[in-house]
Coordinates of all heavy atoms in Angstrom, one line a residue:
K1 N 25.2 17.4 -26.5 CA 24.2 17.6 -25.4 C 23.3 16.4 -25.2 O 22.9 15.8 -26.2 CB 23.4 18.9 -25.7 CG 24.2 20.2 -25.6 CD 23.2 21.4 -25.8 CE 24.0 22.6 -25.5 NZ 23.3 23.8 -26.0
P2 N 22.9 16.2 -24.0 CA 21.9 15.1 -23.7 C 20.6 15.4 -24.3 O 20.2 16.6 -24.4 CB 21.9 15.0 -22.2 CG 22.3 16.4 -21.7 CD 23.2 16.9 -22.7
I3 N 19.8 14.4 -24.6 CA 18.4 14.5 -25.0 C 17.6 14.7 -23.7 O 17.8 14.0 -22.7 CB 18.0 13.3 -25.7 CG1 18.7 13.3 -27.1 CG2 16.5 13.2 -25.9 CD1 18.5 12.0 -27.8
I4 N 16.6 15.6 -23.7 CA 15.8 15.8 -22.6 C 14.7 14.7 -22.6 O 13.8 14.7 -23.4 CB 15.1 17.2 -22.7 CG1 16.1 18.3 -22.6 CG2 14.1 17.4 -21.5 CD1 15.6 19.7 -23.0
A5 N 14.9 13.8 -21.6 CA 13.9 12.7 -21.6 C 12.6 13.0 -20.9 O 11.6 12.4 -21.1 CB 14.6 11.5 -20.9
G6 N 12.7 14.0 -20.0 CA 11.5 14.4 -19.3 C 11.6 15.7 -18.7 O 12.8 16.2 -18.5
L7 N 10.5 16.4 -18.3 CA 10.6 17.7 -17.7 C 10.2 17.7 -16.3 O 9.8 18.7 -15.7 CB 9.8 18.8 -18.5 CG 10.5 19.1 -19.8 CD1 9.6 20.0 -20.7 CD2 11.8 19.9 -19.6
K8 N 10.2 16.5 -15.7 CA 10.0 16.4 -14.2 C 10.8 15.1 -13.8 O 11.1 14.2 -14.6 CB 8.6 16.4 -13.8 CG 7.8 15.2 -14.4 CD 6.4 15.3 -14.0 CE 5.6 14.2 -14.6 NZ 4.1 14.2 -14.3
S9 N 11.1 15.1 -12.5 CA 11.8 14.0 -12.0 C 10.9 12.7 -11.9 O 9.7 12.9 -12.0 CB 12.4 14.3 -10.6 OG 11.3 14.5 -9.7
I10 N 11.6 11.6 -11.8 CA 10.8 10.4 -11.5 C 11.1 10.0 -10.0 O 12.3 9.8 -9.7 CB 11.3 9.2 -12.4 CG1 10.9 9.5 -13.9 CG2 10.6 7.9 -12.0 CD1 11.3 8.5 -14.9
K11 N 10.1 10.0 -9.2 CA 10.3 9.7 -7.8 C 10.1 8.2 -7.6 O 9.0 7.6 -8.0 CB 9.2 10.4 -6.9 CG 9.5 11.9 -6.8 CD 8.6 12.4 -5.7 CE 8.4 13.9 -5.9 NZ 7.2 14.4 -6.4
L12 N 11.1 7.5 -7.1 CA 11.0 6.1 -6.9 C 11.5 5.7 -5.5 O 12.6 6.2 -5.0 CB 11.9 5.3 -7.9 CG 11.5 5.3 -9.3 CD1 12.6 4.6 -10.1 CD2 10.1 4.6 -9.5
E13 N 10.7 4.9 -4.8 CA 11.1 4.3 -3.5 C 12.2 3.3 -4.0 O 11.8 2.3 -4.6 CB 9.9 3.7 -2.8 CG 10.1 3.4 -1.4 CD 10.3 4.6 -0.5 OE1 9.4 5.5 -0.5 OE2 11.4 4.7 0.1
T14 N 13.4 3.5 -3.7 CA 14.5 2.8 -4.4 C 15.1 1.8 -3.4 O 15.6 2.2 -2.3 CB 15.6 3.7 -4.9 OG1 14.9 4.7 -5.7 CG2 16.6 3.0 -5.8
E15 N 15.1 0.5 -3.8 CA 15.7 -0.5 -2.9 C 17.2 -0.4 -3.0 O 17.8 0.1 -4.0 CB 15.3 -1.9 -3.5 CG 13.8 -2.1 -3.4 CD 13.3 -2.3 -2.0 OE1 14.1 -2.6 -1.1 OE2 12.0 -2.2 -1.8
P16 N 17.9 -0.9 -1.9 CA 19.4 -1.0 -2.0 C 19.9 -1.7 -3.2 O 19.2 -2.7 -3.6 CB 19.8 -1.7 -0.7 CG 18.6 -1.5 0.2 CD 17.4 -1.4 -0.7
G17 N 21.0 -1.2 -3.8 CA 21.5 -1.9 -5.0 C 22.3 -1.0 -5.8 O 22.5 0.2 -5.4
T18 N 22.8 -1.4 -6.9 CA 23.6 -0.6 -7.8 C 22.7 -0.3 -9.0 O 22.1 -1.2 -9.6 CB 24.8 -1.4 -8.3 OG1 25.6 -1.8 -7.1 CG2 25.7 -0.6 -9.2
Y19 N 22.7 1.0 -9.4 CA 21.9 1.5 -10.5 C 22.8 2.3 -11.5 O 23.8 2.8 -11.1 CB 20.8 2.4 -9.9 CG 19.9 1.7 -9.0 CD1 20.1 1.6 -7.6 CD2 18.7 1.1 -9.5 CE1 19.3 0.9 -6.8 CE2 17.8 0.4 -8.7 CZ 18.1 0.3 -7.3 OH 17.3 -0.3 -6.5
F20 N 22.3 2.2 -12.7 CA 23.0 3.0 -13.8 C 22.0 4.0 -14.3 O 21.1 3.6 -15.0 CB 23.6 2.1 -14.8 CG 24.7 1.2 -14.3 CD1 24.4 0.0 -13.7 CD2 26.0 1.7 -14.4 CE1 25.5 -0.8 -13.2 CE2 27.0 0.9 -13.9 CZ 26.8 -0.4 -13.3
W21 N 22.3 5.3 -14.0 CA 21.4 6.3 -14.4 C 21.8 6.8 -15.8 O 22.9 6.9 -16.2 CB 21.6 7.5 -13.5 CG 20.8 8.8 -13.8 CD1 19.5 9.0 -13.6 CD2 21.4 10.0 -14.4 NE1 19.2 10.3 -14.1 CE2 20.3 10.9 -14.5 CE3 22.7 10.4 -14.8 CZ2 20.5 12.2 -15.0 CZ3 22.8 11.7 -15.3 CH2 21.8 12.5 -15.4
C22 N 20.8 6.9 -16.7 CA 21.0 7.3 -18.1 C 21.4 8.8 -18.1 O 20.6 9.6 -17.6 CB 19.7 7.1 -18.8 SG 19.7 7.9 -20.5
A23 N 22.5 9.1 -18.7 CA 23.0 10.4 -18.8 C 22.7 11.0 -20.2 O 22.7 12.2 -20.3 CB 24.5 10.5 -18.5
C24 N 22.5 10.2 -21.1 CA 22.3 10.6 -22.5 C 20.9 11.0 -22.8 O 20.7 11.8 -23.8 CB 22.8 9.6 -23.5 SG 21.7 8.1 -23.7
G25 N 20.0 10.5 -22.1 CA 18.6 10.8 -22.4 C 17.9 9.9 -23.4 O 16.7 10.1 -23.6
K26 N 18.6 9.0 -24.0 CA 18.0 8.2 -25.0 C 17.3 6.9 -24.5 O 16.6 6.2 -25.3 CB 19.1 7.8 -26.0 CG 19.6 8.9 -26.9 CD 20.7 8.5 -27.8 CE 20.2 7.8 -29.0 NZ 21.2 7.5 -30.0
S27 N 17.6 6.5 -23.3 CA 17.0 5.3 -22.8 C 15.5 5.3 -22.8 O 14.9 6.3 -22.5 CB 17.5 5.1 -21.3 OG 16.9 3.9 -20.8
K28 N 15.0 4.1 -23.1 CA 13.5 4.0 -23.1 C 13.1 3.5 -21.7 O 11.9 3.2 -21.5 CB 13.1 2.9 -24.1 CG 13.5 3.3 -25.5 CD 12.3 3.8 -26.3 CE 12.7 4.1 -27.8 NZ 13.8 5.1 -27.9
D29 N 14.0 3.3 -20.8 CA 13.8 2.8 -19.5 C 14.1 3.8 -18.4 O 14.8 3.5 -17.5 CB 14.6 1.5 -19.3 CG 14.3 0.8 -18.0 OD1 13.1 0.9 -17.5 OD2 15.1 0.1 -17.4
Q30 N 13.7 5.1 -18.6 CA 14.1 6.2 -17.7 C 13.7 5.9 -16.3 O 12.6 5.3 -16.1 CB 13.4 7.5 -18.2 CG 14.0 8.0 -19.5 CD 15.4 8.3 -19.4 OE1 15.9 8.8 -18.4 NE2 16.1 8.1 -20.5
P31 N 14.5 6.3 -15.3 CA 15.7 7.1 -15.5 C 17.0 6.3 -15.7 O 18.1 6.8 -15.6 CB 15.7 7.8 -14.1 CG 15.2 6.7 -13.2 CD 14.1 6.0 -13.9
F32 N 16.8 5.0 -16.0 CA 18.0 4.1 -16.0 C 18.5 3.9 -17.4 O 17.7 4.0 -18.4 CB 17.6 2.8 -15.3 CG 17.1 3.0 -13.9 CD1 15.8 2.6 -13.6 CD2 17.9 3.5 -13.0 CE1 15.3 2.9 -12.3 CE2 17.4 3.8 -11.7 CZ 16.1 3.4 -11.4
C33 N 19.8 3.5 -17.5 CA 20.4 3.2 -18.8 C 19.9 1.9 -19.4 O 19.7 0.9 -18.7 CB 21.9 3.1 -18.5 SG 22.9 2.5 -20.0
D34 N 19.6 1.9 -20.7 CA 19.2 0.7 -21.4 C 20.2 0.3 -22.5 O 19.9 -0.5 -23.3 CB 17.8 0.7 -21.9 CG 17.6 1.7 -23.1 OD1 18.6 2.4 -23.4 OD2 16.5 1.7 -23.6
G35 N 21.4 1.0 -22.5 CA 22.4 0.8 -23.5 C 22.3 1.6 -24.7 O 23.1 1.6 -25.6
S36 N 21.2 2.5 -24.8 CA 21.0 3.3 -26.0 C 22.1 4.3 -26.2 O 22.2 5.0 -27.3 CB 19.7 4.0 -25.9 OG 18.6 3.1 -25.9
H37 N 22.9 4.6 -25.2 CA 24.0 5.6 -25.3 C 25.1 5.2 -26.3 O 26.0 6.0 -26.6 CB 24.6 5.9 -24.0 CG 25.2 4.7 -23.3 ND1 24.5 3.9 -22.5 CD2 26.5 4.2 -23.4 CE1 25.4 2.9 -22.1 NE2 26.5 3.1 -22.6
Q38 N 25.1 3.9 -26.7 CA 26.2 3.4 -27.5 C 26.3 4.3 -28.8 O 25.3 4.6 -29.4 CB 25.9 1.9 -27.9 CG 26.2 1.1 -26.7 CD 26.6 -0.4 -27.1 OE1 26.8 -0.7 -28.3 NE2 26.7 -1.2 -26.1
G39 N 27.5 4.7 -29.1 CA 27.7 5.6 -30.2 C 27.6 7.0 -29.9 O 27.8 7.9 -30.8
T40 N 27.2 7.4 -28.6 CA 27.2 8.8 -28.2 C 28.4 9.0 -27.3 O 29.2 8.1 -27.0 CB 25.9 9.1 -27.4 OG1 26.1 8.5 -26.1 CG2 24.7 8.6 -28.1
A41 N 28.6 10.3 -26.9 CA 29.7 10.6 -26.0 C 29.4 10.4 -24.6 O 30.2 10.7 -23.7 CB 30.0 12.1 -26.2
F42 N 28.2 9.8 -24.3 CA 27.7 9.7 -22.9 C 27.9 8.3 -22.4 O 27.9 7.3 -23.1 CB 26.3 10.0 -22.8 CG 26.0 11.5 -23.1 CD1 25.7 11.9 -24.3 CD2 26.1 12.4 -22.0 CE1 25.4 13.3 -24.6 CE2 25.8 13.7 -22.3 CZ 25.5 14.2 -23.5
N43 N 28.1 8.2 -21.1 CA 28.1 6.9 -20.4 C 27.2 7.1 -19.2 O 27.0 8.2 -18.6 CB 29.5 6.6 -19.9 CG 30.4 6.1 -21.0 OD1 30.0 5.1 -21.7 ND2 31.5 6.7 -21.2
P44 N 26.6 6.0 -18.7 CA 25.7 6.1 -17.6 C 26.5 6.4 -16.3 O 27.7 6.2 -16.3 CB 25.1 4.7 -17.5 CG 26.0 3.8 -18.2 CD 26.7 4.6 -19.3
I45 N 25.8 6.9 -15.3 CA 26.4 7.2 -14.0 C 26.0 6.1 -13.0 O 24.8 5.8 -12.9 CB 26.1 8.6 -13.5 CG1 26.8 9.6 -14.4 CG2 26.4 8.7 -12.0 CD1 26.6 11.0 -14.0
E46 N 27.0 5.5 -12.4 CA 26.7 4.4 -11.5 C 26.4 5.0 -10.1 O 27.1 5.9 -9.7 CB 27.9 3.5 -11.4 CG 27.7 2.3 -10.5 CD 28.9 1.3 -10.5 OE1 29.8 1.5 -11.4 OE2 28.9 0.4 -9.6
I47 N 25.4 4.5 -9.5 CA 25.1 4.9 -8.1 C 24.8 3.7 -7.3 O 24.1 2.8 -7.7 CB 23.9 5.9 -8.0 CG1 23.5 6.1 -6.6 CG2 22.8 5.5 -8.9 CD1 22.4 7.1 -6.4
V48 N 25.4 3.6 -6.1 CA 25.1 2.6 -5.1 C 24.2 3.1 -4.1 O 24.5 4.1 -3.4 CB 26.4 2.0 -4.5 CG1 26.1 0.9 -3.5 CG2 27.3 1.5 -5.6
V49 N 23.0 2.5 -3.9 CA 22.1 2.9 -2.9 C 22.2 1.9 -1.7 O 22.1 0.6 -2.0 CB 20.6 2.9 -3.4 CG1 19.6 3.2 -2.3 CG2 20.5 3.9 -4.6
R50 N 22.5 2.4 -0.6 CA 22.8 1.4 0.6 C 21.5 1.2 1.4 O 21.4 0.1 2.0 CB 23.9 2.0 1.5 CG 25.1 2.3 0.7 CD 26.4 2.0 1.4 NE 27.6 2.3 0.5 CZ 28.1 1.4 -0.2 NH1 27.7 0.1 -0.2 NH2 29.1 1.6 -1.0
K51 N 20.7 2.2 1.5 CA 19.4 2.0 2.3 C 18.3 2.3 1.4 O 18.4 3.3 0.6 CB 19.4 3.0 3.5 CG 20.1 2.5 4.7 CD 19.7 3.4 5.9 CE 20.6 3.1 7.1 NZ 20.5 4.3 8.0
K52 N 17.2 1.6 1.6 CA 16.0 2.0 0.8 C 15.6 3.4 1.1 O 15.5 3.9 2.2 CB 14.8 1.1 1.3 CG 13.5 1.3 0.5 CD 12.5 0.3 0.9 CE 11.2 0.5 0.2 NZ 10.2 -0.5 0.5
K53 N 15.4 4.2 0.0 CA 15.0 5.6 0.2 C 14.3 6.1 -1.0 O 14.4 5.5 -2.1 CB 16.2 6.5 0.5 CG 17.3 6.5 -0.6 CD 18.4 7.4 -0.1 CE 19.6 7.3 -1.0 NZ 20.7 8.1 -0.6
L54 N 13.6 7.2 -0.8 CA 12.9 7.9 -1.9 C 13.9 8.7 -2.7 O 14.5 9.6 -2.1 CB 11.8 8.8 -1.4 CG 10.9 9.4 -2.4 CD1 10.0 8.4 -3.2 CD2 10.0 10.5 -1.8
I55 N 14.1 8.4 -4.0 CA 15.0 9.2 -4.8 C 14.2 9.9 -5.9 O 13.3 9.3 -6.5 CB 16.1 8.3 -5.4 CG1 17.0 7.7 -4.3 CG2 16.9 9.1 -6.4 CD1 18.1 6.8 -4.8
K56 N 14.5 11.2 -6.1 CA 14.0 11.9 -7.2 C 15.0 11.9 -8.3 O 16.0 12.7 -8.3 CB 13.7 13.4 -6.8 CG 12.5 13.5 -5.9 CD 12.3 14.8 -5.2 CE 12.0 15.9 -6.3 NZ 11.9 17.2 -5.7
W57 N 14.8 11.0 -9.2 CA 15.8 10.8 -10.3 C 15.6 11.8 -11.4 O 14.5 12.1 -11.8 CB 15.6 9.4 -10.9 CG 15.8 8.3 -10.0 CD1 14.9 7.7 -9.2 CD2 17.0 7.5 -9.8 NE1 15.4 6.6 -8.5 CE2 16.7 6.5 -8.9 CE3 18.3 7.6 -10.4 CZ2 17.7 5.6 -8.4 CZ3 19.3 6.7 -9.9 CH2 19.0 5.7 -9.0
C58 N 16.7 12.4 -11.8 CA 16.6 13.4 -12.9 C 16.3 12.8 -14.2 O 16.9 11.7 -14.6 CB 18.0 14.2 -13.0 SG 18.1 15.1 -14.5
T59 N 15.4 13.3 -15.0 CA 15.1 12.8 -16.3 C 15.4 13.9 -17.4 O 15.5 13.5 -18.6 CB 13.6 12.5 -16.5 OG1 12.8 13.6 -16.4 CG2 13.2 11.4 -15.5
C60 N 15.6 15.1 -17.0 CA 15.9 16.1 -18.0 C 17.4 16.1 -18.5 O 17.7 16.5 -19.5 CB 15.5 17.6 -17.6 SG 16.7 18.3 -16.4
K61 N 18.2 15.5 -17.6 CA 19.6 15.3 -17.8 C 20.5 16.5 -17.7 O 21.7 16.5 -17.9 CB 19.9 14.6 -19.2 CG 19.0 13.4 -19.5 CD 19.1 12.4 -18.4 CE 18.1 11.2 -18.7 NZ 18.1 10.3 -17.5
Y62 N 19.8 17.6 -17.2 CA 20.6 18.8 -17.0 C 20.9 19.1 -15.5 O 21.4 20.2 -15.2 CB 19.9 20.0 -17.7 CG 20.1 20.0 -19.2 CD1 19.4 19.2 -20.0 CD2 21.1 20.8 -19.7 CE1 19.6 19.2 -21.4 CE2 21.4 20.8 -21.1 CZ 20.6 20.0 -21.9 OH 20.9 20.0 -23.3
T63 N 20.6 18.2 -14.7 CA 20.9 18.4 -13.3 C 22.4 18.6 -13.0 O 23.2 18.0 -13.7 CB 20.4 17.2 -12.4 OG1 20.7 17.4 -11.0 CG2 21.0 15.9 -12.9
K64 N 22.7 19.4 -12.0 CA 24.1 19.6 -11.7 C 24.5 18.6 -10.6 O 25.6 18.6 -10.1 CB 24.3 21.1 -11.2 CG 24.2 22.0 -12.4 CD 24.3 23.5 -12.0 CE 23.9 24.4 -13.1 NZ 22.5 24.3 -13.4
T65 N 23.5 17.8 -10.1 CA 23.8 16.9 -9.1 C 23.3 15.5 -9.5 O 22.5 14.9 -8.9 CB 23.1 17.2 -7.8 OG1 21.7 17.4 -8.0 CG2 23.6 18.5 -7.2
P66 N 23.8 15.0 -10.7 CA 23.4 13.7 -11.2 C 23.7 12.6 -10.2 O 24.7 12.6 -9.6 CB 24.2 13.5 -12.5 CG 25.4 14.4 -12.3 CD 25.0 15.6 -11.5
P67 N 22.8 11.6 -10.1 CA 21.6 11.4 -10.9 C 20.3 12.0 -10.3 O 19.2 11.7 -10.7 CB 21.4 9.9 -10.9 CG 21.9 9.5 -9.5 CD 23.0 10.5 -9.2
F68 N 20.5 12.9 -9.3 CA 19.4 13.5 -8.6 C 18.9 14.8 -9.2 O 19.6 15.6 -9.6 CB 19.8 13.7 -7.1 CG 20.5 12.5 -6.5 CD1 21.8 12.6 -6.2 CD2 19.8 11.4 -6.2 CE1 22.5 11.4 -5.6 CE2 20.4 10.2 -5.7 CZ 21.7 10.3 -5.4
C69 N 17.6 14.9 -9.1 CA 16.9 16.1 -9.6 C 17.3 17.3 -8.7 O 17.3 17.2 -7.5 CB 15.4 15.9 -9.5 SG 14.4 17.4 -9.9
D70 N 17.7 18.4 -9.4 CA 18.0 19.7 -8.7 C 17.1 20.8 -9.2 O 17.4 21.9 -9.0 CB 19.5 20.0 -8.8 CG 19.9 20.5 -10.2 OD1 19.0 20.4 -11.1 OD2 21.0 21.0 -10.3
H71 N 16.1 20.4 -9.9 CA 15.1 21.3 -10.5 C 15.6 22.1 -11.7 O 15.0 23.1 -12.1 CB 14.5 22.2 -9.4 CG 13.8 21.5 -8.3 ND1 12.7 20.7 -8.5 CD2 14.2 21.3 -7.0 CE1 12.4 20.1 -7.3 NE2 13.3 20.5 -6.4
S72 N 16.7 21.7 -12.2 CA 17.2 22.3 -13.4 C 16.2 22.3 -14.6 O 16.2 23.1 -15.5 CB 18.5 21.7 -13.9 OG 19.6 22.0 -13.0
H73 N 15.3 21.3 -14.5 CA 14.3 21.2 -15.6 C 13.4 22.4 -15.7 O 12.9 22.7 -16.8 CB 13.4 19.9 -15.4 CG 12.7 19.8 -14.1 ND1 13.2 19.2 -13.0 CD2 11.5 20.3 -13.8 CE1 12.3 19.4 -12.0 NE2 11.3 20.0 -12.5
R74 N 13.3 23.2 -14.6 CA 12.5 24.4 -14.6 C 13.1 25.5 -15.5 O 12.4 26.4 -15.9 CB 12.3 24.9 -13.2 CG 11.5 23.9 -12.4 CD 11.4 24.4 -10.9 NE 10.6 23.5 -10.1 CZ 10.6 23.5 -8.8 NH1 11.3 24.5 -8.1 NH2 9.9 22.7 -8.1
E75 N 14.3 25.3 -15.9 CA 15.0 26.4 -16.7 C 15.0 26.0 -18.2 O 15.4 26.7 -19.0 CB 16.5 26.5 -16.3 CG 16.7 26.6 -14.8 CD 16.0 27.8 -14.2 OE1 15.9 28.9 -14.9 OE2 15.5 27.7 -13.1
L76 N 14.4 24.8 -18.5 CA 14.5 24.3 -19.9 C 13.3 24.8 -20.7 O 12.2 24.9 -20.2 CB 14.6 22.8 -19.9 CG 15.9 22.2 -19.2 CD1 15.8 20.7 -19.1 CD2 17.1 22.6 -20.1
P77 N 13.5 24.9 -22.0 CA 12.4 25.3 -22.9 C 11.4 24.2 -22.8 O 11.7 23.0 -22.8 CB 13.1 25.4 -24.3 CG 14.4 24.7 -24.2 CD 14.8 24.7 -22.7
G78 N 10.1 24.6 -22.8 CA 9.0 23.7 -22.8 C 8.5 23.4 -21.4 O 7.4 22.9 -21.3
Y79 N 9.2 23.9 -20.3 CA 8.7 23.6 -19.0 C 7.6 24.6 -18.7 O 7.8 25.8 -18.9 CB 9.9 23.8 -18.0 CG 9.4 23.6 -16.5 CD1 9.1 22.3 -16.1 CD2 9.1 24.7 -15.7 CE1 8.6 22.1 -14.8 CE2 8.7 24.5 -14.4 CZ 8.4 23.2 -14.0 OH 7.9 23.0 -12.7
K80 N 6.5 24.1 -18.1 CA 5.4 25.1 -17.7 C 5.3 25.0 -16.2 O 5.3 24.0 -15.6 CB 4.1 24.6 -18.4 CG 4.1 24.7 -19.9 CD 2.8 24.3 -20.4 CE 2.9 23.8 -21.8 NZ 2.9 22.4 -22.0
Ligands
FES1 FE1 21.5 6.9 -21.7 FE2 22.9 4.6 -21.3 S1 21.0 4.8 -22.4 S2 23.4 6.6 -20.7

């Protein structure tokens, strides 16, 4: 299971480019992969952003629509 890195999304005005979203939850550079998944069963998810836009990046890692927040964090223990 992934580590819960946060219990709310990170909203970022995201420039066009290629991003690697952390799926394992271990990255210290949330919501992005910093290579900490090495040795786990996880790999980052690549996303190409074509136009600048506001993205709500999932940090709990339980979203069903990775890498985007779908409010799954509200179902996790510890969420208030
Ligand atoms: Fe989490 Fe790379 S550090 S997927």
Side-chain angles (χ1 to χ4, degrees):
K1 287 189 173 164
I3 290 169
I4 298 169
L7 287 172
K8 60 181 179 185
S9 66
I10 294 179
K11 288 191 198 105
L12 290 177
E13 198 64 58
T14 308
E15 298 288 341
T18 301
Y19 297 88
F20 292 89
W21 176 75
C22 168
C24 73
K26 291 178 77 177
S27 173
K28 303 257 182 301
D29 186 29
Q30 293 298 327
F32 306 113
C33 174
D34 70 355
S36 298
H37 61 271
Q38 286 206 6
T40 73
F42 292 93
N43 283 305
I45 289 180
E46 182 177 349
I47 168 178
V48 177
V49 176
R50 303 215 177 269
K51 273 194 191 162
K52 181 175 178 175
K53 63 178 166 184
L54 184 69
I55 294 179
K56 288 169 68 182
W57 299 87
C58 167
T59 64
C60 78
K61 312 306 173 185
Y62 281 82
T63 179
K64 292 176 189 66
T65 57
F68 310 110
C69 173
D70 72 351
H71 302 294
S72 288
H73 57 269
R74 293 178 180 166
E75 313 302 321
L76 294 173
Y79 179 76
K80 294 181 205 101

